[in-house]
């Protein structure tokens, strides 16, 4: 078939429609910071989750003091997707937050162009591992402070200082429950990835 001939099943003269470019992003952070919520808020498909009930044993290991109503936790990953425009589709992979599931991260992050590290300012130390991971792997990322109850405990500059992230890493406030807010945070990650690829 020559380049000017139509594909089988397409009327002559109708242009081929390219599928959107698939782009993988990772959503990471500590236990109970809103990763599953963020994926569920933005995904255009029913998100795939691997939620398991928090047992008495797990409750003794995981800090539930700031999330007392939390009854489940991610034990493998969350997955969702969103078409940004006809040319770009994001595939979102949420990591489990507990350190004991850290062995899965390398597989989940494989092929990702960037990451969003979600932070709960009541528990900043819970996200150190995610920040360190992306820095070590040299994967572009942004830090998104989840506005629990509509507020945050520290200013963005205080968060930047506490996490010791460079000025080149965006630090922003978002609401994991709001689709538009999650979209805007993911677009910041995409901008970081694009800037890295052009640099």
């Amino acid at each position: 078939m020559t380049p000017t001939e139509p594909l089988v099943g397409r009327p002559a003269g109708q242009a081929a429609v390219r599928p959107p470019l698939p782009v993988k992003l990772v959503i990471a952070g500590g236990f109970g910071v809103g990763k599953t919520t963020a994926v569920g808020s933005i995904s255009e498909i029913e998100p795939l989750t691997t939620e398991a009930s928090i047992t008495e044993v797990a409750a003794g290991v995981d800090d539930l003091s700031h999330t007392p109503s939390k009854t489940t936790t991610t034990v493998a990953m969350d997955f969702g997707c969103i078409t940004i425009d006809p040319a770009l589709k994001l595939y979102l992979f949420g990591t489990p937050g507990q350190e004991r599931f850290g062995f899965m991260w390398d597989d989940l992050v494989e092929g990702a162009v960037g990451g969003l590290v979600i932070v709960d300012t009541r528990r900043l130390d819970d996200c150190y591992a995610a920040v360190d991971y992306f820095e070590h792997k040299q994967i572009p990322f942004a830090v998104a402070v989840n506005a629990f109850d509509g507020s945050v405990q520290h200013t963005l500059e205080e968060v930047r200082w506490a996490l010791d992230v460079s000025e080149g890493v965006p630090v922003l406030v978002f609401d994991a429950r709001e689709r538009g807010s999650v979209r805007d945070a993911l677009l910041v990650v995409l901008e970081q990835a694009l800037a890295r690829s052009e640099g």
Side-chain angles (χ1 to χ4, degrees):
M1 183 172 68
T2 67
T4 57
E5 290 177 334
L7 297 175
V8 175
R10 182 182 299 121
Q14 183 178 0
V17 177
R18 291 181 179 270
L21 178 70
V23 174
K24 180 178 181 179
L25 294 181
V26 173
I27 298 178
F31 172 73
V33 296
K35 300 180 298 296
T36 300
T37 300
V39 173
S41 296
I42 193 74
S43 181
E44 64 193 16
I45 63 169
E46 184 70 26
L48 168 67
T49 62
T50 54
E51 295 281 289
S53 296
I54 297 176
T55 63
E56 288 185 17
V57 173
V61 176
D62 300 321
D63 182 8
L64 297 174
S65 59
H66 292 288
T67 54
S69 61
K70 187 172 177 62
T71 59
T72 62
T73 185
T74 301
V75 295
M77 70 171 186
D78 298 312
F79 172 78
C81 63
I82 178 68
T83 303
I84 297 297
D85 60 40
L88 186 65
K89 187 168 187 173
L90 301 183
Y91 290 88
L92 309 173
F93 290 78
T95 67
Q98 301 94 322
E99 285 188 28
R100 62 183 179 275
F101 297 122
F103 66 92
M104 303 178 64
W105 277 47
D106 285 342
D107 290 333
L108 288 176
V109 173
E110 181 72 28
V113 301
L116 184 69
V117 177
I118 301 180
V119 173
D120 179 350
T121 54
R122 301 169 298 181
R123 299 176 288 135
L124 281 174
D125 55 335
D126 285 358
C127 71
Y128 291 154
V131 169
D132 289 346
Y133 184 90
F134 287 115
E135 288 180 337
H136 177 71
K137 294 287 187 179
Q138 298 185 338
I139 296 172
F141 71 99
V143 173
V145 177
N146 198 359
F148 286 91
D149 300 321
S151 64
V152 294
Q153 301 288 321
H154 303 282
T155 68
L156 295 184
E157 282 309 308
E158 288 172 335
V159 171
R160 181 183 298 282
W161 178 84
L163 299 180
D164 193 27
V165 293
S166 71
E167 288 296 325
V169 175
V171 179
L172 53 108
V173 175
F174 90 132
D175 188 331
R177 300 165 298 182
E178 296 293 331
R179 181 181 178 88
S181 187
V182 176
R183 178 205 59 213
D184 291 346
L186 294 174
L187 289 176
V188 169
V189 176
L190 277 177
E191 289 172 1
Q192 286 294 100
L194 182 61
R196 177 76 63 88
S197 67
E198 292 177 344

